[in-house]
Amino acid sequence: EAGVAQSPRYKIIEKRQSVAFWCNPISGHATLYWYQQILGQGPKLLIQFQNNGVVDDSQLPKDRFSAERLKGVDSTLKIQPAKLEDSAVYLCASSFPGGYGYTFGSGTRLTVV
Amino acid sequence: AQSVTQLDSHVSVSEGTPVLLRCNYSSSYSPSLFWYVQHPNKGLQLLLKYTSAATLVKGINGFEAEFKKSETSFHLTKPSAHMSDAAEYFCVVSDTGTASKLTFGTGTRLQVTL
């Protein structure tokens, strides 16, 4: 079974630039999540989608972060403009409704300089 | 609100000796509890989960955890550490009311020495 695919694996940008991350969930998983993991901390949920609708985005910094999940499959997470404190690993996960089969991707490591 | 506290940021054991990683939780509902492992530059892997069935949960690679409601604890143990167990371990809670929202602890780095 194919896992959760994320790209790119690594990204280095300058502050105030924009960046986008892509996630392809496991086939059949209606729920998709984006987490932010800052070095030395546990992952923090940024946004949760159910199909192409947002279920929870309470911890998403909406002044600079945006996410979409068109057609209820792939998702993109964008940061514009980036700040130094956005340096982190961005993890995508997917599951069946209710959290069954919860699976994480390998993440995208973002460095903002 | 749900939360977990991992009591040790770093644990060092010798190969072949027991492992104990401590976790306390706080939850408004009957929680689901998980332990995840993260090896360097790898994704998060589920070790085991508790979802209100048996209080002693067995996971992969010889790990197990015991849910103790009276102590609000969910400690992870393994009888004999192996070098390959060196990694970051996260205790995670999910309220059954929002079973898909995971709240992670800050992690415990396990070091295994010869």
Side-chain angles (χ1 to χ4, degrees):
Chain A
E1 175 183 278
V4 176
Q6 291 188 247
S7 67
R9 287 299 309 275
Y10 305 93
K11 189 75 176 179
I12 301 174
I13 62 171
E14 295 183 349
K15 59 184 179 183
R16 291 187 290 273
Q17 285 188 324
S18 63
V19 64
F21 313 126
W22 174 82
C23 173
N24 181 241
I26 289 176
S27 178
H29 280 189
T31 312
L32 185 146
Y33 318 79
W34 283 102
Y35 285 82
Q36 179 193 56
Q37 185 177 16
I38 293 173
L39 186 65
Q41 299 181 19
K44 180 185 78 172
L45 180 69
L46 291 177
I47 189 168
Q48 176 183 342
F49 291 94
Q50 180 75 19
N51 296 309
N52 58 352
V54 175
V55 174
D56 184 351
D57 63 357
S58 58
Q59 297 197 84
L60 185 74
K62 298 180 186 65
D63 58 333
R64 298 184 299 106
F65 285 65
S66 65
E68 60 182 9
R69 190 183 185 197
L70 299 176
K71 300 181 181 179
V73 183
D74 293 6
S75 176
T76 56
L77 176 69
K78 298 179 181 178
I79 307 175
Q80 182 179 14
K83 293 184 175 181
L84 296 177
E85 58 260 38
D86 298 332
S87 294
V89 175
Y90 291 84
L91 296 164
C92 180
S94 70
S95 76
F96 292 110
Y100 299 103
Y102 217 116
T103 305
F104 284 87
S106 296
T108 296
R109 182 177 298 276
L110 173 67
T111 302
V112 183
V113 298
Chain B
Q2 56 190 27
S3 66
V4 288
T5 301
Q6 293 186 243
L7 301 172
D8 307 290
S9 60
H10 182 260
V11 170
S12 182
V13 300
S14 299
E15 190 175 34
T17 64
V19 175
L20 170 64
L21 305 183
R22 299 181 296 164
C23 173
N24 288 345
Y25 70 90
S26 173
S27 175
S28 302
Y29 302 93
S30 298
S32 296
L33 291 158
F34 312 80
W35 277 97
Y36 277 84
V37 61
Q38 188 175 40
H39 288 91
N41 299 314
K42 296 287 181 66
L44 287 158
Q45 181 183 22
L46 179 66
L47 276 180
L48 51 81
K49 63 180 178 181
Y50 166 79
T51 55
S52 76
T55 56
L56 183 62
V57 182
K58 295 187 183 298
I60 61 172
N61 300 334
F63 284 94
E64 63 180 38
E66 185 171 9
F67 174 73
K68 292 187 176 180
K69 187 175 181 179
S70 61
E71 299 177 10
T72 61
S73 69
F74 190 59
H75 301 334
L76 181 70
T77 60
K78 182 174 181 178
S80 176
H82 190 273
M83 293 297 290
S84 61
D85 295 328
E88 189 86 17
Y89 291 79
F90 293 98
C91 183
V92 181
V93 65
S94 175
D95 286 338
T96 53
T98 55
S100 54
K101 179 178 180 179
L102 303 183
T103 299
F104 284 74
T106 52
T108 298
R109 179 162 297 277
L110 176 64
Q111 181 182 14
V112 183
T113 59
L114 289 172

